[in-house]
Amino acid sequence: MSPNKENYLKTIYELNYDFTKITNKRISEIMNVSAPSVTEMLNALSGEGYLTHSPYNKIVLTPKGNKVSEKLVKTHRLWEVFLNKCLKYPVDNVHHNADALEHSSDDDLIEHLNDFLGHPQRCPHGGIIPGNGQGETDADDKLLSMIPDNTKVQIVRVSDNYDFLQYFGSLNLEIDDTITVLKHEKFDNSLVVEKDDGSKLTIGAKAIDYIFVELR
């Protein structure tokens, strides 16, 4: 399988836990590719039995596709942990390099890498590493956009999108930060939150669908 096909399968697998409908547009945004490219690849993957893609834009991995995708996601996230923890790569710069490493990693290497890292539960973006989650999965998280006003939450995961990660960093927010949702702005759907230090900030409407939290 080509690295490009593997990247699509990995992205679709991760979008299963984003609590939004998996669409061509969403895949295009996450992967920074054109909509026609997404359609062409989905048709190819469907023809090979990795997913089903209905005329109504419902994209679902088959058991075959899910098995391959889960393995790819585990490999990718383990390399992200290695790059971040061991080589001190910044969080917003591990994805591309992990992509290159995952496509040339066999099962034996990944088993040894997992042992070396101590079977980490989450990647630097907060995603659960399949097989290491100790009963937890990404499905246990909630989108920040779904949280009602006056609710305290902890940021546990963010989407692995370079442009978003640059924006997230500009907010001076990090994984594990605790924030309180103060107000959903009706005009532009942005979100006003308060950090533990009492400072307030506004998070854009698009970004709150890239941040995942747990209630505190």
Side-chain angles (χ1 to χ4, degrees), residues 72-171:
L72 289 168
V73 168
K74 180 175 184 175
T75 301
H76 181 86
R77 291 181 177 179
L78 284 172
W79 279 122
E80 287 188 327
V81 172
F82 176 79
L83 290 167
N84 178 244
K85 298 297 184 183
C86 300
L87 301 186
K88 308 304 180 185
Y89 272 68
V91 173
D92 60 5
N93 198 32
V94 296
H95 178 76
H96 175 73
N97 292 285
D99 263 349
L101 290 164
E102 76 184 55
H103 299 306
S104 57
S105 303
D106 60 21
D107 292 346
D108 185 56
L109 174 58
I110 294 308
E111 183 178 343
H112 280 78
L113 179 63
N114 201 14
D115 289 342
F116 172 76
L117 294 171
H119 298 256
Q121 187 173 357
R122 292 181 180 266
C123 76
H125 305 105
I128 292 290
I129 297 174
N132 291 4
Q134 301 175 12
E136 285 191 73
T137 71
D138 288 339
D140 297 317
D141 309 332
K142 298 182 182 295
L143 275 175
L144 182 57
S145 61
M146 300 166 57
I147 303 301
D149 293 352
N150 302 310
T151 304
K152 194 169 189 176
V153 295
Q154 183 178 27
I155 299 172
V156 295
R157 177 164 62 98
V158 294
S159 292
D160 199 352
N161 173 276
Y162 180 78
D163 290 335
F164 162 73
L165 290 172
Q166 294 292 303
Y167 173 77
F168 183 71
S170 73
L171 296 173

Side-chain angles (χ1 to χ4, degrees), residues 1 7 11 14 49 55 64 77 101 139 142 168 176 204 214:
M1 182 185 296
N7 287 338
T11 297
E14 292 176 334
K64 173 184 175 181
R77 291 181 177 179
L101 290 164
K142 298 182 182 295
F168 183 71
D176 293 332
E214 290 181 353

